[in-house]
Amino acid sequence: MSQDSPTPPYPPAIPPAPSLTETEAEELIHGICFKTGPPRLIGAELEWLVVDAERPEQPLSAERLRAAHAAARALPLNSRLTVEPGGQLELSSAPAASLSGCVDGLQADLTAVRGALLARGLVLRGLGRDPRLPYRRLLNSPRYDAMEAYFDRTGPAGRVMMCASASVQVCVDAGYEEPGVLGHGRRWRLAHLLGAVLVAAFANSPAHEGPYAGWRCARQGVWSDIDSRRALAPPLDAEPRAGWTRQALDTELMCVRSYEGEAWEIPRGTTFRDWLRTGGDLGQPAHSALAGRPALRPPTVEDLEYHLTTLFPPVRPRGHLELRMIDAQPGDDGWLVPVAVVHALFDDPEAAETAYRATKALSDAHGPRPSPRNPLWRSAARHGLADPELRTAATACFLAAAEALPRLGASEHVQETVGAFTERFVLRGRCPADDASSLEPARKEARR
């Protein structure tokens, strides 16, 4: 999970002006979501659990986690380091002009962070969902207080997502405005069809009990269940900008920020479009479905921008495309496999065409329901590459990526790591979850 860039405890003391109209909001989202042009940049965000090197199955105290975070923050890193609500660490690369630039920068920073943690008897653990109980929120802020209260309305999934999930997120450019293999429309559709293949191939959050018992990617089940709409993709048959704009405006507000230090409001059942149309006066008219709800202040541009950070679809358009469906990966270098594979399948034209053909064959299995609640994504999360159709598509995609990586200037180490993953998992219809039964491997990682 990514909570995005850190936000100050409260917005400025004086609300920004002027208020926003519905038309202005639609135009603003159109301008934000897809910034088209030649694909040039790649970035990655790596989330990690922090565990004891010798007793990885034991929860860490808040004091020990905070000391570890302080040690990591004191390092001179090129990546942005942030802390997630449950104490997970995230390293976010700067946008890089090459795969090597992205990977090398993250590897150097990871080496520094791992050294600082190991000196305190801790290691980073790549696992999509933390099995340690109980789940505890380490961070307290108006954002996280409001988020927790909002998600508690729909069950426990929200707290699990906040405090116990970790992922590898890969960011690629939106692509050209024009149609074609590198056009933004094709890349948007590819991201959602390929997304199920990535869920299956990199599934690394096995569950042995509870609502996701038997799933290879329980993290994906958690995301699917956080609320009715916030983590869903828009319909793929819609034009990308129009579809995402409707999805964003018609999703319920998570919160309305305070400007005077009070707790943030958490309106129930109010979408951002409702807020725009009423100007905050949700109690009128008497016959409206919004009748009786408390008045809110009028929405602003800043409120819309903030609302967009509270939407967690599997592919989020932020000018670029942010692929959010991949579990955190095991080992020192497991994370670089999804980064390299996504880069190859999106930014090498030949590999992109192969990936599109391979995943287009899955369209019927996708069905009309949005990701991640359609049959294709559910099968990917439950079965990984034991699903024969997903295995066939993954094989074609990973082999195409392996052929493309030399053309993209990938190092021998990256090529070998991707090749080893493909041989060990993809070609055998397996995923990392088939090897992961507990936190035990953290001991081995610490002793290498």
Side-chain angles (χ1 to χ4, degrees), residues 165-330:
S165 66
S167 69
V168 173
Q169 297 176 23
V170 188
C171 299
V172 295
D173 283 330
Y176 289 99
E177 184 69 26
E178 298 77 17
V181 66
L182 297 183
H184 78 282
R186 170 78 74 89
R187 287 161 75 88
W188 177 244
R189 184 171 182 81
L190 172 63
H192 289 87
L193 292 174
L194 180 63
V197 175
L198 299 175
V199 169
F202 295 112
N204 188 38
S205 50
H208 306 292
E209 57 186 18
Y212 315 110
W215 289 39
R216 267 92 165 170
C217 185
R219 175 179 161 273
Q220 200 56 235
V222 169
W223 277 105
S224 179
D225 291 343
I226 61 171
D227 77 356
S228 62
R229 188 178 181 94
R230 188 166 305 278
L232 300 186
L236 287 187
D237 57 359
E239 191 278 326
R241 288 188 178 91
W244 176 244
T245 298
R246 285 196 299 271
Q247 181 79 0
L249 293 182
D250 292 335
T251 296
E252 187 175 350
L253 292 168
M254 177 178 286
C255 57
V256 174
R257 297 177 297 168
S258 166
Y259 288 95
E260 299 298 336
E262 302 92 349
W264 294 4
E265 294 184 71
I266 310 170
R268 184 182 291 271
T270 302
T271 68
F272 202 93
R273 195 183 301 277
D274 293 334
W275 193 14
L276 289 164
R277 288 181 174 179
T278 62
D281 185 6
L282 301 178
Q284 298 294 330
H287 64 274
S288 168
L290 302 177
R293 299 183 192 174
L296 303 172
R297 58 175 175 76
T300 67
V301 169
E302 288 78 6
D303 290 319
L304 177 59
E305 292 172 342
Y306 188 82
H307 175 66
L308 296 177
T309 74
T310 72
L311 306 181
F312 308 121
V315 182
R316 185 159 61 177
R318 304 181 66 187
H320 56 272
L321 303 183
E322 181 183 75
L323 278 68
R324 305 170 51 84
M325 73 291 294
I326 301 167
D327 278 353
Q329 294 297 289

Side-chain angles (χ1 to χ4, degrees), residues 79-155:
S79 307
R80 181 168 56 89
L81 186 142
T82 52
V83 177
E84 297 297 317
Q88 312 96 307
L89 277 180
E90 177 178 324
L91 281 174
S92 302
S93 74
S98 68
L99 177 62
S100 294
C102 177
V103 167
D104 292 349
L106 282 169
Q107 282 183 323
D109 289 341
L110 278 170
T111 298
V113 171
R114 285 178 171 137
L117 295 186
L118 192 57
R120 289 160 177 78
L122 303 173
V123 293
L124 296 177
R125 172 68 170 149
L127 193 65
R129 189 180 73 151
D130 193 342
R132 297 172 297 178
L133 295 173
Y135 299 134
R136 298 174 301 174
R137 180 159 61 95
L138 184 69
L139 302 185
N140 293 302
S141 70
R143 175 181 173 92
Y144 296 139
D145 293 347
M147 183 179 290
E148 183 176 276
Y150 173 87
F151 283 131
D152 280 352
R153 295 173 178 172
T154 56

